[in-house]
Amino acid sequence: MGQEIANVEFQAEHFDRFQDHLASEMELLRRWFAEEKFASDNLQCGLELEGWLIAADGGPVPDNSLFLATLDRKSVVPELSKFNFELNVQPQYVAGFGLRDMQNELQATWDRCAQVAQRLDHRIVSVGILPTIEDSMLCVKNMSNMQRYAALNSQVLRLREGRPLCLQIEGTDQLRSTHADVMLESAATSIQVHLKVPPAAAARYYNASVIASALTVALAANAPLLFGKRLWDDTRITVFEQAVDTGGPRPRVTFGEQYVQNSLLELFEQNFSNHRVLLPSEMEEPPSKLPYVRMHNGTLWNWNRALIGFESDGRPHLRIEHRPMSASPSILDLFSDMMFYLGITHALANQSPAPESLLDFSQAKANFYDAARAGFSASIQWIDGNYWNVAELISSRLLPTALQALSDLRVDAASIALCQATLIGRLDTRQNGAAWQREQFARLNADLHQLLLGYVERQATGSPVHTWTAMDSIHP
């Protein structure tokens, strides 16, 4: 969502002109697929992590412009709200020490962010939903100062003909909220894994990512609370889907409707045919960079998204962006989750018969939402036709498969061993971020500030969440 644009207000001619450019670039994209123009290489991976700025008492701080100016790093950028920021790392090959290098880079950037925040009397935290965020704080005055976000807000409301956005969630508690803006989206913070894939295998990797989504959302669930209500284990999923609802027949955030049959072109065709242009900005890049296709695609946030990128020599490549996982309790948890995703996706993409031929898309979709609601307690149907508790399935069958796939991909053995120890610890204890937060919410009698301060204290140690202990109180 972060690409800046020149305009906030648009007229009918802007939409017509954008649609013309988009149609022309789609013709070029079709030729690229037909002529196999995409770069083919070994698997590469990129990563984005969204974080929060908070005060000493745990409340959110709407100060990302000063924080980012003081930090002065191109890899750390604003997000929709002034409470949030996003960290990016240099993409790396999956084989060898690339993932370890990514982890070291992210940790160094995170540490630097923490130092700068402390200089401003703030702190930073990585969590799926900030427990202390309040409904009234999610308003336009706390929107980041970028024209893209102002335009996004304006256009979503235009398509809704001024009707407010309505948030309705059923969990342990019930939540109802209405908003006259899109700021509810900023309550949900995540990691996004970018997997660059060989074009010949891209459809298989996409379908594997879809099937794996139920596993990754449960494993990484870290968003059980919103506005003091106990909701889904990963409440981000339903918050984001409702927060940018334009009121049309097809949502802009969705799990999708079917597997890819032949190529990722199908996903771009669906976006082109099924969704209205949202931000018809004039783009400066040449058609060879597909700026209009990429802008349009960037206003649709499916949980697994096909992307076009470019090599240093200008050749296009294909990426799959995997979006289901919450921002993590620790950097170690984050990379363990990411490595599991990479391993199980690689295994499923190379399995015969293809798992998408064994599991109906509708069941993969049901699995995903059941896992987002119930986390480790969810029961899902797997490709063997049986129903499994999701934690038991990962622990007994899929973690060994994912670890073997990482070995087959020649990931360094020490990184695999650390991932294995972290995930076994979490699966054995059944303590992910959501479980820890739920327990502390009950223990502390719903004191959200005390809960968050305890979370931040433990996150600062770098220890994985399965080792976090309970607490009765914590002091800033």
Side-chain angles (χ1 to χ4, degrees):
M1 289 179 64
Q3 182 182 354
E4 185 57 304
I5 61 177
N7 302 324
V8 173
E9 300 296 332
F10 303 106
Q11 306 300 323
E13 58 265 26
H14 295 114
F15 288 91
D16 292 341
R17 191 157 53 242
F18 189 100
Q19 191 69 37
D20 289 343
H21 286 299
L22 180 60
S24 177
E25 289 184 5
M26 282 298 299
E27 284 296 326
L28 177 59
L29 183 59
R30 293 179 189 114
R31 290 201 300 274
W32 286 356
F33 274 96
E35 298 170 6
E36 300 181 350
K37 293 290 188 180
F38 295 98
S40 183
D41 202 351
N42 294 325
L43 295 182
Q44 292 188 46
C45 184
L47 177 68
E48 303 169 25
L49 167 64
E50 297 165 349
W52 291 83
L53 284 170
I54 62 170
D57 68 354
V61 175
D63 196 20
N64 67 2
S65 58
L66 179 59
F67 167 73
L68 294 170
T70 306
L71 180 68
D72 193 25
R73 286 204 177 187
K74 291 182 179 180
S75 62
V76 186
V77 297
E79 269 290 335
L80 174 61
S81 91
K82 295 177 181 178
F83 306 119
N84 301 127
F85 59 97
E86 178 186 277
L87 291 78
N88 297 268
V89 296
Q90 184 71 24
Q92 299 284 351
Y93 284 103
V94 172
F97 295 96
L99 300 181
R100 187 189 298 189
D101 290 342
M102 285 178 67
Q103 182 171 348
N104 291 338
E105 180 187 347
L106 183 64
Q107 185 68 65
T109 303
W110 183 261
D111 292 345
R112 179 58 182 159
C113 288
Q115 293 168 5
V116 170
Q118 185 176 37
R119 192 190 311 169
L120 299 172
D121 294 325
H122 307 330
R123 303 175 79 175
I124 61 172
V125 62
S126 166
V127 64
I129 291 177
L130 192 74
T132 56
I133 192 69
E134 297 176 9
D135 201 342
S136 61
M137 297 172 179
L138 299 175
C139 58
V140 171
K141 78 171 186 177
N142 288 326
M143 183 181 289
S144 289
N145 297 319
M146 290 181 66
Q147 297 205 114
R148 180 186 179 100
Y149 298 136
L152 173 69
N153 185 64
S154 174
Q155 293 304 310
V156 167
L157 294 177
R158 179 186 66 83
L159 291 176
R160 293 183 61 82
E161 298 178 340
R163 289 175 288 116
L165 289 142
C166 298
L167 182 67
Q168 301 185 42
I169 309 175
E170 304 284 340
T172 304
D173 302 318
Q174 295 182 353
L175 177 62
R176 301 287 186 274
S177 179
T178 59
H179 276 251
D181 52 62
V182 299
M183 284 292 286
L184 277 168
E185 187 275 326
S186 64
T189 42
S190 63
I191 67 169
Q192 291 114 45
V193 180
H194 290 247
L195 180 61
K196 189 171 82 171
V197 293
R204 289 291 309 272
Y205 275 99
Y206 176 83
N207 292 339
S209 294
V210 166
I211 292 171
S213 296
L215 312 172
T216 60
V217 77
L219 194 63
N222 193 24
L225 305 168
L226 178 60
F227 308 149
K229 304 291 187 180
R230 297 161 296 173
L231 302 168
W232 295 13
D233 267 27
D234 207 313
T235 307
R236 289 178 318 112
I237 301 302
T238 186
V239 168
F240 198 4
E241 290 190 348
Q242 296 181 60
V244 289
D245 177 15
T246 56
R250 297 179 183 273
R252 300 189 85 90
V253 185
T254 178
F255 189 74
E257 298 302 329
Q258 62 185 24
Y259 294 121
V260 165
Q261 301 303 311
N262 297 301
S263 82
L264 298 190
L265 177 61
E266 297 160 32
L267 300 173
F268 293 99
E269 294 283 15
Q270 291 167 17
N271 290 349
F272 176 61
S273 300
N274 297 340
H275 291 280
R276 292 172 288 184
V277 170
L278 192 63
L279 298 180
S281 180
E282 191 75 22
M283 309 302 292
E284 295 182 357
E285 287 184 295
S288 61
K289 295 295 185 181
L290 300 185
Y292 290 88
V293 167
R294 289 160 52 216
M295 171 60 81
H296 183 56
N297 194 58
T299 63
L300 299 158
W301 300 278
N302 286 5
W303 296 113
N304 291 279
R305 192 161 66 162
L307 301 178
I308 304 291
F310 294 90
E311 304 290 293
S312 58
D313 62 6
R315 289 179 301 155
H317 66 244
L318 296 172
R319 297 204 309 272
I320 297 164
E321 183 186 27
H322 187 67
R323 304 171 57 85
M325 295 186 286
S326 268
S328 304
S330 74
I331 299 295
L332 182 52
D333 283 309
L334 185 158
F335 273 85
S336 298
D337 294 339
M338 185 180 76
M339 289 177 66
F340 174 79
Y341 162 70
L342 296 173
I344 198 62
T345 299
H346 180 69
L348 292 172
N350 289 278
Q351 181 176 313
S352 182
E356 56 265 41
S357 70
L358 305 174
L359 185 72
D360 287 345
F361 185 91
S362 61
Q363 186 59 57
K365 186 175 184 176
N367 287 347
F368 174 70
Y369 289 105
D370 288 345
R373 288 186 189 94
F376 279 156
S377 298
S379 176
I380 66 171
Q381 186 179 6
W382 192 237
I383 59 176
D384 60 3
N386 297 318
Y387 279 87
W388 289 78
N389 167 267
V390 68
E392 288 289 341
L393 175 64
I394 296 171
S395 180
S396 64
R397 292 196 56 182
L398 301 183
L399 181 56
T401 299
L403 295 171
Q404 182 58 54
L406 292 170
S407 181
D408 294 342
L409 287 167
R410 304 192 314 280
V411 175
D412 76 283
S415 294
I416 296 175
L418 192 55
C419 167
Q420 179 178 16
T422 302
L423 294 184
I424 287 175
R426 195 187 313 162
L427 292 162
D428 285 350
T429 61
R430 297 294 195 271
Q431 180 165 288
N432 57 11
W436 188 88
Q437 288 190 58
R438 284 188 184 276
E439 183 179 359
Q440 302 319 307
F441 184 87
R443 181 183 293 271
L444 297 171
N445 297 315
D447 188 330
L448 298 171
H449 285 260
Q450 293 284 9
L451 185 157
L452 181 61
L453 292 174
Y455 180 102
V456 171
E457 180 182 82
R458 283 154 180 77
Q459 183 169 92
T461 70
S463 301
V465 71
H466 75 270
T467 67
W468 291 11
T469 56
M471 79 284 188
D472 295 314
S473 64
I474 200 79
H475 299 285

